[in-house]
Amino acid sequence: MISPQPLIRMQNVGKHFGTFQALKGINLDVIKGERIVVCGPSGSGKSTMIRCINRLEKHDEGRILIGDTELTDQIKDLNAVRREIGMVFQSFNLFPHMTILNNLMLAQKLVRKTPKAKARDIAMRYLERVKIPEQADKYPVQLSGGQQQRVAIARALCMKPEVMLFDEPTSALDPEMINEVLEVMVDLAREGMTMICVTHEMGFARSVADRVIFMDAGEIVEEADPETFFKTPQHERTKLFLSQILSH
Amino acid sequence: MSFDLSLIVETVPKMLAGVGLTFQLLGLSAFLGLILAIVLLLMRISGKWYLDWPAQLYIYVFRGTPILVQIFIIYYGFPQLEFIRESVLWPIFRDPFGCAVVALSLNTGAYVSEILRGGVLGVDRGVLEAGEALGLSTTQRFIYLTTPIATRLALPAYGNDIISLLKSTALASTITLMDMTGIARTIVAQTYAPYEIFISLAIIYMILTFFLQKFISLIEAYLGRYTKRES
Ligand SMILES: Nc1ncnc2c1ncn2[C@@H]1O[C@H](COP(=O)(O)OP(=O)(O)OP(=O)(O)O)[C@@H](O)[C@H]1O
Ligand SMILES: [Mg+2]
């Protein structure tokens, strides 16, 4: 069998902010259906790495390919690439001036050119999947953090993306709301969605990840399946990090 | 000194005859000023120095000089210039109403563009990034995200500017216009009763401001409906 072509391919990717190097020599291939968890200490470059994938940050070394399309300044239709990549942020980032339903319909109409009635059907379907269809006509501020984050996930899913990126989706949530968001993410993983999740929820990593990646100081230090990663980490930095987060 | 009530009863209706002109000055200047402000705003946030710098210079000049001086320059100064007298704009500058509207618009446009810019800068970057991640183009983000959110953020300060513009219209009376203040000055010249008449005039402006403020608050409440937690 020929190994499938990766959906995302990062080759020796580097990124600077001024003189500070936030990413160094990142190599990462993600194939369709893979679920990857990224962890590491604060400032290690996790956000920067996944933000390079949809070009919210521009890398300045190496190559990034999404399917056959390389992310460069010459890229003709960046938005065509972006609509295939869903992203969920730590701070939800819902459109505050629109109802939940309109949050889910805006990009469908503008980017996917989906007719209004169809966009509405799709939006309602995903709101049901994240179990809050009754909130459709409310504004984001009227929802709890956990509900807002589920809306943010639904909003990304409405675009029928190939990949979902999550940047610490539960870090801003009160503890009692973390599970309702993780449940949605676990369901998504079970359905075969390709996912890259920056998270410190190690239970989630254990139950769904195909690979866990540990980053430190802008580099991928260690990469393994969850079993190996948690039982027999190779590097000192990984061991130290794991001892810190698992002690809580 | 005695306070002549009957004089007030007699002159208030006369002054109110000028309220139409006051509101014409306010409405037209607010409208033209807003259009100018949007143009200046777009120039300032274009990211192109050759658009940004002229806009900054314009704003600096118009915020840095008294509006009364601007009115005088346009009304007394422009007719001295040959090319203005020969231009298609001459009918506007020949007319004191035209001069007043131009001066008030140019002035309020400078202030309002900065107010709008404050609103634009206040839009949460994360919200715009979410739009970007969904594939919205720069223009789409500006129209569907930045504009509505910035409008709400800018509205309180914009309301203040409109209220201050209402009072700036009184300056038009210095170039012969018969707005409420112009009428009041004429009456004072005839009756030598500045106290009663100017106090009545002040009260009329206060009442108008009160209603204008109420109207602005209604719009604020409507645009801010999504910021309230209870539904
Ligand atoms: N826009 C920026 N300008 C300058 N420096 C930046 C910028 N964004 C990130 N950095 C720096 O790059 C480094 C990596 O940041 P990044 O946000 O990717 O870390 P992270 O692993 O996601 O951390 P956290 O767990 O705190 O979210 C940090 O040192 C950060 O200060
Ligand atoms: Mg981060």
Side-chain angles (χ1 to χ4, degrees), chain B residues 43-122:
Chain B
M43 289 168 76
R44 288 227 53 195
I45 62 174
S46 65
K48 304 201 167 64
W49 66 267
Y50 53 86
L51 294 176
D52 183 11
W53 291 5
Q56 280 193 44
L57 179 69
Y58 175 91
I59 291 164
Y60 180 72
V61 168
F62 276 84
R63 292 206 305 181
T65 52
I67 182 160
L68 187 58
V69 175
Q70 294 162 16
I71 291 176
F72 284 169
I73 290 175
I74 292 172
Y75 182 67
Y76 295 114
F78 279 18
Q80 316 260 312
L81 304 171
E82 174 98 20
F83 72 91
I84 292 216
R85 268 180 279 133
E86 279 164 10
S87 81
V88 289
L89 296 176
W90 180 231
I92 295 174
F93 292 115
R94 204 177 43 195
D95 174 18
F97 180 77
C99 287
V101 167
V102 167
L104 291 170
S105 305
L106 293 179
N107 186 273
T108 195
Y111 279 94
V112 171
S113 79
E114 285 297 276
I115 290 171
L116 297 182
R117 199 170 70 94
V120 168
L121 295 179

